[in-house]
Amino acid sequence: MKKRCTVLLGMTLVLVVIVGIHTACPAAETIKIGVIYPLTGGAAAEGRELRAGAELAAQIANNVMADIDMDMAKRGGITSLGGAKVELIFKDHEGNPTLGADLAKQLILDDKVVGILGCYHSSVTKTVSAVCEQYGIPMINDSSTSPALTQRDFKWFWRTTPHDVTFTQDLFELFKGLTEGKVKGVPAVPKDQIKNLASACEKTEWGSQVSETIETFAKQYGFDVQKSLLYAAKSADLSSEVRSLQAVKPDAMLFASYASDAILMVKTLKAQKVSAKIIWGQDAGFEAPEFRSTLGDDVVGILTRTVFAPKVAEVKKVAGQVNALYKKNIGHDLSGASARSFTGLQTWVEVLQKAGSTKPEEIQKTANSITIPGDQLIVPWKGIKFATSGSDRGQNELGSGIIGQYQKGKDGEIVLEIIYPFEVATANMIYPFKAF
Amino acid sequence: MEKLKACFDFSDLPRLDLTIAGLVLSALLVFPIFPHSSYAMSTVIQFFMFALYGMGWNTIGGYGGQVDLGLAQYLGIGAYTTAVSMIRWNTPFWVSMPIGVVLAIIWCFVVGYSVFRLKGHYFAIATIAMSLVLKDVFEVWKFVGASRGLEIPSTRFTSPDFLHLVFTNDTYYYCLILAFFVIGLLYINWFRKSRLGFQLRSIKDNEEVARSLGINVQWAKLKTYAVAVTFVSAVGSFHACYVKNIEPEDTMSLDLSILIALMAMLGGAGSLWGPIIGAGILIPLKSYLKEWLGARAGLVGIDVVIYGAIIMFISAVEPRGVWGIVQRVRRRKRA
């Protein structure tokens, strides 16, 4: 009995010492940022990309990486906050706005995050940003492109990515360029050959805004939208939608789809032997890695707007360095989604670095005044500077988009070549789209 | 007065059931006083909401045996009525909620008049179809925000606003939905012993026999349907104020209708406690499995697998749900 007591006492002492040592060691200070993405559900593929992009940005921000030409990579933490490290707390919103709002409350009240990054789906960003606004917590949105999000005059919401007005205008500039012979490798196309348009967009906040924006710009640029329909991204069958589009014999088909429905849409277009001179996707599903790996050669000739193409890495040194690191970690190039989540977190890091404080008011003041030069970014933008007044409050004014086209390289690999802006085009455009 | 007395009369239930129910209710009453996470709070609020949806479904689906898979459309009617009236005319919740209920009842008579002529699978399919039609209408109807839905601007109201139900602190929402829950429970306790309750059970057992006994089957079903949609629509109005952003996909989807029916069926359709047990199992399970296994352990999607496995297991062991298992154990003990 005595022996047992001695053993117990000894064990207790050891435990006390271990706990004592553990608590005596000063834990490295961390700054918690809540990150809400769709990690399951129809946009899980994009969710994985977004998560990987944000994680890479945190890795670069927390460690000194001298071989990357970026201020964030030289510091090894947030130096203005005593070298504090950034800790990301990921949550999965499944594309559900109600769940997103719940998760935002959880991050703010339970996890005590300094701010929030996310959420990809514009519909979820809408509810999450409303929660942030209510609690006075800053939110940086990296990847939701519904223009309405920055038209609410929110004081705690900033968006780094350009929105769909910019992207859709790019598309119509490309159309205009086609008629004027400005597109690399394509002689001027008479306008009546590409005048008839048809669009199919998923029907949540994002898709319905894209649909409206397409109609607005079509009127402005003198094009006819013959058919404009909305569909459920979760649909298991899109054949009636495709038949409906085909019925108007459009010259160009325009889509706003997430990954699973983008793949299904192209498969259905192929099955119904749809012919159009131009097929264009509004980013998202059309530039997800799964899109090209699942559809293979069928994607050749399809256009997509994006903010990043691996070709950017060839002309922008810092993009190449980060892309190489990303490829080493994940196994493929950065996509539009991962490049934007990387940039979103980078913005968070720069704001915290400049603010030197985790107080919401200080962060708000800094976010409203910060300018991040374009040479610090992996995306081909002029930089990041948020509008502080007007109808687009919180929107990055220096962002821009590109339009890429899937083409087969010399080695047989499918790459996204830059077609627009015309001055940075990396290949001749394939026009018209070759039938499936 | 008699009716009110009947609401509080639980004397036909075993003492053990009442003791457990009393303990659970007491725990729920004091829950906000103790330290808790906001996640736990929102999970319990969701539990109350789904328990109430389930109670509504249980009247027509459980006691009446009419498997309705389109109840979410009434949730949408309630939620949209409240959201539209608040955004456009600044109408208080306490006015818009009853209006929503009335609109839902009118629509349920339109739907019920035609679909109650159908039976079995045909009835279930018809309810799904009607629900999807209404959802499609809302998705293109610009007045209600079409597929983008509506956002109640919380910054327009000063929290706590008891008229419009705008609170920064979820405890207020908790207290309110708890009150709804208690009222709902007392009402269902009366309903199951009411004339309509007995008529429904006889319709469920054999519609022809019920008709030969002089029961107006169609009218009994319609009245019950109105009770069911009252529950769902009222909680739908609450949902609009709680979430502050509603979309057709979020409030009127088939997934939601199925989830409501599933809660009641899993807990035990046609019993007082069934929908509460169903919601008590599925809501925390879904939330916490997702949190622990999905977000923290990085096993994204495993929560759905476990969730599905539990549903399959209970369905295979006892198709009458958890309450059926409890009854079976009791019978065995008595034998």
Side-chain angles (χ1 to χ4, degrees):
Chain A
M1 186 66 193
K2 206 175 177 183
K3 201 175 172 186
R4 197 178 288 173
C5 281
T6 319
V7 170
L8 265 173
L9 194 71
M11 281 170 71
T12 314
L13 269 173
V14 169
L15 200 70
V16 167
V17 169
I18 290 170
V19 172
I21 289 169
H22 189 260
T23 46
C25 289
E29 203 192 327
T30 58
I31 294 169
K32 289 182 192 169
I33 293 177
V35 188
I36 310 178
Y37 285 140
L39 302 175
T40 55
E46 292 98 320
R48 282 194 295 275
E49 284 289 301
L50 291 157
R51 182 175 183 152
E55 279 174 338
L56 180 64
Q59 186 193 336
I60 293 174
N62 290 339
N63 300 287
V64 176
M65 295 188 179
D67 51 340
I68 294 177
D69 296 334
M70 195 180 265
D71 290 348
M72 180 174 84
K74 309 270 189 284
R75 298 188 200 116
I78 310 229
T79 47
S80 64
L81 287 165
K85 308 286 182 199
V86 174
E87 182 191 346
L88 304 181
I89 303 177
F90 285 97
K91 299 283 175 196
D92 172 21
H93 64 62
E94 300 173 13
N96 179 339
T98 312
L99 179 60
D102 265 352
L103 295 172
K105 276 186 198 167
Q106 187 193 350
L107 285 166
I108 294 167
L109 300 172
D110 300 345
D111 296 311
K112 310 272 182 234
V113 294
V114 167
I116 285 178
L117 176 73
C119 306
Y120 189 66
H121 286 80
S122 294
S123 52
V124 184
T125 301
K126 194 161 87 172
T127 57
V128 169
S129 56
V131 171
C132 291
E133 194 72 11
Q134 199 177 5
Y135 287 91
I137 293 292
M139 172 179 187
I140 292 181
N141 167 238
D142 53 345
S143 49
S144 308
T145 54
S146 168
L149 292 172
T150 40
Q151 290 164 357
R152 298 174 296 169
D153 203 29
F154 276 13
K155 295 175 185 68
W156 299 95
F157 181 76
W158 298 270
R159 169 161 59 187
T160 51
T161 179
H163 56 57
D164 289 328
V165 169
T166 310
F167 290 134
T168 313
Q169 189 165 17
D170 287 350
L171 170 72
F172 282 90
E173 283 295 323
L174 174 69
F175 284 160
K176 197 175 154 210
L178 265 174
T179 61
E180 292 168 354
K182 284 184 185 168
V183 179
K184 197 175 174 186
V186 184
V189 179
K191 194 172 181 179
D192 57 351
Q193 283 189 20
I194 52 165
K195 201 175 180 188
N196 294 333
L197 314 177
S199 74
C201 305
E202 66 83 35
K203 62 183 176 186
T204 64
E205 170 77 26
W206 172 60
S208 48
Q209 275 271 334
V210 172
S211 184
E212 281 173 24
T213 316
I214 287 174
E215 291 198 35
T216 310
F217 277 109
K219 262 185 211 155
Q220 202 177 314
Y221 281 76
F223 288 82
D224 292 334
V225 180
Q226 302 276 346
K227 187 85 196 174
S228 172
L229 56 89
L230 299 174
Y231 69 90
K234 286 181 193 167
S235 293
D237 177 43
L238 293 170
S239 48
S240 62
E241 281 82 358
V242 169
R243 260 196 298 277
S244 176
L245 293 179
Q246 205 178 0
V248 297
K249 294 194 171 59
D251 299 316
M253 285 185 167
L254 317 174
F255 300 101
S257 315
Y258 291 118
S260 56
D261 47 315
I263 292 167
L264 182 62
M265 184 65 83
V266 174
K267 280 186 175 173
T268 316
L269 291 175
K270 188 184 176 187
Q272 297 194 15
K273 295 190 174 62
V274 169
S275 58
K277 295 183 192 96
I278 292 170
I279 294 180
W280 172 85
Q282 178 77 292
D283 189 74
F286 276 80
E287 59 93 55
E290 280 75 4
F291 181 73
R292 75 182 91 166
S293 62
T294 310
L295 295 167
D297 286 358
D298 290 338
V299 302
V300 173
I302 291 179
L303 295 162
T304 178
R305 68 89 169 154
T306 184
V307 293
F308 187 86
K311 288 277 172 182
V312 173
E314 290 175 14
V315 290
K316 199 167 185 186
K317 198 176 161 197
V318 67
Q321 292 162 343
V322 174
N323 188 47
L325 195 58
Y326 186 82
K327 203 166 180 176
K328 195 176 143 198
N329 290 353
I330 308 295
H332 57 78
D333 290 311
L334 279 160
S335 64
S338 47
R340 281 190 292 178
S341 62
F342 181 95
T343 308
L345 192 71
Q346 184 186 4
T347 309
W348 252 119
V349 171
E350 295 299 341
V351 167
L352 287 166
Q353 174 69 29
K354 194 178 170 200
S357 166
T358 53
K359 282 184 186 156
E361 295 75 21
E362 291 300 318
I363 294 172
Q364 185 188 45
K365 213 193 292 173
T366 310
N368 283 335
S369 62
I370 199 167
T371 305
I372 304 172
D375 61 9
Q376 290 294 309
L377 306 176
I378 58 166
V379 282
W381 302 343
K382 286 179 192 146
I384 290 174
K385 181 169 175 51
F386 298 109
T388 50
S389 58
S391 60
D392 228 2
R393 182 175 177 166
Q395 175 62 40
N396 174 22
E397 294 172 314
L398 304 178
S400 58
I402 54 178
I403 295 177
Q405 184 177 46
Y406 290 108
Q407 297 191 0
K408 218 165 190 176
K410 282 174 194 159
D411 52 356
E413 205 182 325
I414 293 165
V415 289
L416 194 60
E417 296 285 358
I418 300 170
I419 301 298
Y420 179 87
F422 306 124
E423 57 277 14
V424 292
T426 54
N428 290 341
M429 180 181 172
I430 300 172
Y431 178 87
F433 176 76
K434 285 178 188 120
F436 287 111
Chain B
M1 197 60 199
E2 278 303 310
K3 278 184 186 172
L4 199 64
K5 233 184 221 174
C7 287
F8 290 91
D9 180 13
F10 290 92
S11 56
D12 61 318
L13 298 175
R15 188 166 286 177
L16 180 66
D17 293 8
L18 294 176
T19 314
I20 294 171
L23 284 172
V24 172
L25 195 63
S26 313
L28 290 170
L29 276 169
V30 296
F31 167 76
I33 303 166
F34 290 97
H36 57 266
S37 66
S38 81
Y39 197 59
M41 174 62 91
S42 74
T43 303
V44 185
I45 291 174
Q46 275 197 46
F47 153 72
F48 284 134
M49 286 165 68
F50 274 92
L52 282 161
Y53 295 143
M55 283 182 202
W57 185 91
N58 199 30
T59 54
I60 190 72
Y63 294 114
Q66 311 294 312
V67 181
D68 186 316
L69 294 179
L71 221 49
Q73 61 188 314
Y74 304 103
L75 193 164
I77 292 174
Y80 270 97
T81 308
T82 294
V84 169
S85 342
M86 261 174 90
I87 294 166
R88 289 183 185 268
W89 306 295
N90 225 7
T91 316
F93 167 81
W94 304 105
V95 176
S96 65
M97 193 256 286
I99 296 172
V101 168
V102 170
L103 291 176
I105 290 174
I106 293 170
W107 179 244
C108 96
F109 277 114
V110 175
V111 173
Y113 185 75
S114 49
V115 298
F116 280 129
R117 290 165 196 278
L118 304 169
K119 283 174 195 162
H121 305 314
Y122 299 103
F123 172 79
I125 292 166
T127 55
I128 293 174
M130 292 300 275
S131 173
L132 293 182
V133 166
L134 192 71
K135 180 171 163 259
D136 279 351
V137 169
F138 273 68
E139 278 176 345
V140 293
W141 190 10
K142 291 254 159 67
F143 182 76
V144 295
S147 55
R148 286 168 56 200
L150 295 169
E151 187 180 9
I152 297 174
S154 51
T155 42
R156 198 207 281 178
F157 307 94
T158 317
S159 173
D161 187 330
F162 290 94
L163 278 183
H164 297 91
L165 296 201
V166 177
F167 309 118
T168 315
N169 188 344
D170 279 358
T171 310
Y172 293 110
Y173 289 113
Y174 181 92
C175 296
L176 193 73
I177 196 73
L178 175 63
F180 277 21
F181 175 78
V182 173
I183 294 167
L185 184 65
L186 293 176
Y187 178 82
I188 296 292
N189 185 44
W190 169 80
F191 177 86
R192 70 190 173 94
K193 294 174 292 184
S194 70
R195 188 183 168 86
L196 184 60
F198 285 112
Q199 283 180 349
L200 273 180
R201 267 167 274 186
S202 95
I203 293 169
K204 185 183 177 182
D205 289 342
N206 191 324
E207 210 169 305
E208 295 310 315
V209 173
R211 198 169 279 129
S212 70
L213 289 170
I215 297 170
N216 185 339
V217 173
Q218 181 82 350
W219 181 234
K221 284 181 186 173
L222 277 173
K223 275 198 287 184
T224 314
Y225 204 30
V227 170
V229 307
T230 301
F231 270 80
V232 178
S233 168
V235 182
S237 292
F238 173 85
H239 170 87
C241 294
Y242 177 58
V243 176
K244 296 180 193 71
N245 182 79
I246 52 166
E247 292 173 17
E249 190 59 39
D250 197 29
T251 51
M252 302 168 96
S253 68
L254 178 60
D255 292 2
L256 192 58
S257 290
I258 291 175
L259 193 61
I260 292 170
L262 188 68
M263 298 270 166
M265 286 193 213
L266 187 86
S271 69
L272 179 65
W273 309 120
I276 304 168
I277 294 171
I281 293 172
L282 288 191
I283 296 293
L285 197 71
K286 201 169 184 296
S287 301
Y288 283 97
L289 274 181
K290 191 172 182 55
E291 172 65 10
W292 292 331
L293 296 176
R296 288 196 191 159
L299 299 167
V300 174
I302 194 83
D303 54 312
V304 188
V305 175
I306 296 176
Y307 186 69
I310 290 170
I311 293 169
M312 281 197 287
F313 175 75
I314 293 176
S315 312
V317 173
E318 175 57 72
R320 283 175 300 165
V322 176
W323 192 245
I325 298 175
V326 173
Q327 298 289 65
R328 200 202 287 178
V329 171
R330 274 185 180 162
R331 268 199 302 273
R332 213 175 275 171
K333 268 193 178 172
R334 259 184 244 138

